[in-house]
Amino acid sequence: MHWVLSVLLAVIGVTALLVVTPVSGYRPWPYVKPNSSDLMFGGSKKFEGSSEFVHMRYHMGPVLTAHITIHPIWYGRWQKSQKKIIREFINSISAVDSKHPSVAGWWKTVQLYTDQTGANISRTVLLGEEKNDRFYSHGKSFTRLSIQSVIKSAVTARTKPLPINPKSGLYLLLTSDDVYVEDFCGQVCGFHYFTFPSIVGYTLPYAWVGNSAKLCPGVCAYPFAVPQYMPGLKPLKSPNGDVGVDGMISVIGHEVAELATNPLVNAWYAGQDPVAPVEIADLCEGIYGTGGGGSYTGQLLNDKDGATYNMNGIRRRYLVQWVWNHIVILAFVGFGRVGVDA
């Protein structure tokens, strides 16, 4: 869920580069089977990690089994081209006809997670109504708590407020490259939680992701920019020509996957501490392809212009980290799931 700079996963030998902060969240789910065999998508495992030593458990909370609608809130100044990159990524999640490997194929691993009834996470993710705040009505600096005031303004606006949808709506707050949020660049690049009725008036699952282009691209837009403590390591060329936004895409994917499986931080997570759960994207931090771990992203793809990606969208290409498959048990003990094309 939250992006912390280093998380030691002895299970898969991975040191994460970008993880998150504590949340809250009980009860083991000894084994889970998908209720639809087609969710295994033909044996293609290009987007997931797994190990018999990590116990991802279901704690009986709700997950998003109904059609999911994402409502972007654009805070600050955004170029039309930047919005288009992010909108097309969201629309690609349900675009099952995209060229393989695809964003929709990656989402099928998220779909493997179920609720108490055995219903899977929804296959359908829609781009919903949007809200713009280009005049920085709440300033340019936020705490983790005060950022909820932006969501309140979006859902209570006098003109064209965002719809209130606590069961299947996700509110995606995106801040421009000149906005600072508490712990941004140091501990987090994005996080998810739910709004407090005392602030917003409703309990709504939301995520925040910031554009790091000016503040810390080497931290939050890696590998399209590299941190100063990695001399000699060259950045990779971003697939859509915007280092900050291309870096945001993987963080958005990370947070949306965890919102779907743990919207109220009491559903799917590993570990014994409900205050600091390890969620399905946390377990694959920094892994984008087979063999990934530490500062190595894993095996990736390159287009004819030399840009790096690992999955196709409707019209664009993206680099998105893997997510955890709680069903697959590895024959190779102690490593993340290695991908094999179908």
Side-chain angles (χ1 to χ4, degrees):
M1 170 173 155
H2 321 270
W3 292 57
V4 182
L5 288 179
S6 61
V7 170
L8 180 63
L9 297 177
V11 184
I12 57 175
V14 175
T15 301
L17 287 179
L18 309 168
V19 184
V20 262
T21 53
V23 270
S24 56
Y26 258 180
R27 201 207 140 205
W29 190 270
Y31 81 99
V32 179
K33 294 181 179 179
N35 65 4
S36 177
S37 60
D38 65 352
L39 293 182
M40 300 306 290
F41 53 100
S44 177
K45 305 299 176 193
K46 275 295 186 188
F47 322 108
E48 64 192 44
S50 187
S51 169
E52 62 182 356
F53 294 114
V54 171
H55 301 293
M56 178 64 64
R57 300 179 184 276
Y58 180 49
H59 297 79
M60 307 307 286
V63 301
L64 302 185
T65 57
H67 290 353
I68 299 168
T69 302
I70 297 177
H71 297 286
I73 302 171
W74 306 94
Y75 190 86
R77 297 179 182 176
W78 290 89
Q79 299 174 17
K80 290 182 179 179
S81 59
Q82 294 177 318
K83 290 183 177 181
K84 191 172 183 180
I85 294 170
I86 293 173
R87 286 174 182 143
E88 289 191 14
F89 173 71
I90 294 171
N91 284 325
S92 295
I93 294 174
S94 296
V96 295
D97 294 329
S98 297
K99 182 180 178 182
H100 178 81
S102 68
V103 177
W106 166 83
W107 186 255
K108 285 185 177 180
T109 301
V110 181
Q111 286 180 257
L112 294 173
Y113 290 84
T114 61
D115 66 8
Q116 299 180 45
T117 70
N120 292 89
I121 300 294
S122 177
R123 167 184 173 177
T124 303
V125 179
L126 306 172
L127 179 64
E129 297 173 52
E130 306 177 24
K131 200 68 180 172
N132 292 280
D133 190 339
R134 61 181 62 88
F135 298 113
Y136 307 90
S137 65
H138 294 269
K140 292 186 176 183
S141 182
F142 295 92
T143 66
R144 289 172 179 256
L145 190 60
S146 69
I147 205 167
Q148 292 193 18
S149 62
V150 180
I151 300 173
K152 177 182 179 179
S153 295
V155 299
T156 61
R158 291 183 179 180
T159 58
K160 298 182 179 179
L162 293 182
I164 305 299
N165 185 1
K167 292 187 177 181
S168 61
L170 300 182
Y171 298 81
L172 181 61
L173 176 53
L174 305 168
T175 51
S176 57
D177 58 12
D178 54 351
V179 175
Y180 177 75
V181 175
E182 180 183 3
D183 295 327
F184 189 26
C185 299
Q187 296 181 15
V188 301
C189 301
F191 60 78
H192 76 86
Y193 207 60
F194 53 85
T195 62
F196 301 146
S198 59
I199 298 176
V200 179
Y202 308 91
T203 300
L204 304 172
Y206 77 93
W208 160 75
V209 180
N211 186 338
S212 66
K214 291 182 179 179
L215 296 174
C216 57
V219 176
C220 293
Y222 181 87
F224 304 127
V226 296
Q228 295 180 350
Y229 60 80
M230 291 183 174
L233 185 63
K234 294 182 179 180
L236 302 179
K237 184 177 180 180
S238 67
N240 296 291
D242 190 310
V243 168
V245 174
D246 275 317
M248 290 178 73
I249 292 297
S250 189
V251 189
I252 291 171
H254 177 118
E255 302 303 339
V256 170
E258 292 183 344
L259 274 171
T261 54
N262 199 25
L264 300 181
V265 295
N266 61 357
W268 285 98
Y269 62 87
Q272 300 301 315
D273 186 1
V275 177
V278 179
E279 298 172 284
I280 73 166
D282 297 330
L283 287 166
C284 298
E285 279 291 356
I287 301 177
Y288 300 85
T290 301
S295 62
Y296 177 54
T297 57
Q299 297 177 19
L300 305 177
L301 302 170
N302 293 102
D303 65 19
K304 58 183 178 61
D305 297 317
T308 300
Y309 69 101
N310 66 348
M311 58 187 75
N312 295 284
I314 298 172
R315 288 173 291 273
R316 297 175 181 269
R317 290 166 172 165
Y318 300 100
L319 183 67
V320 184
Q321 69 151 89
W322 284 9
V323 290
W324 194 259
N325 184 334
H326 66 301
I327 294 174
V328 175
I329 300 298
L330 288 184
F332 300 100
V333 176
F335 289 85
R337 175 75 190 189
V338 290
V340 181
D341 278 322

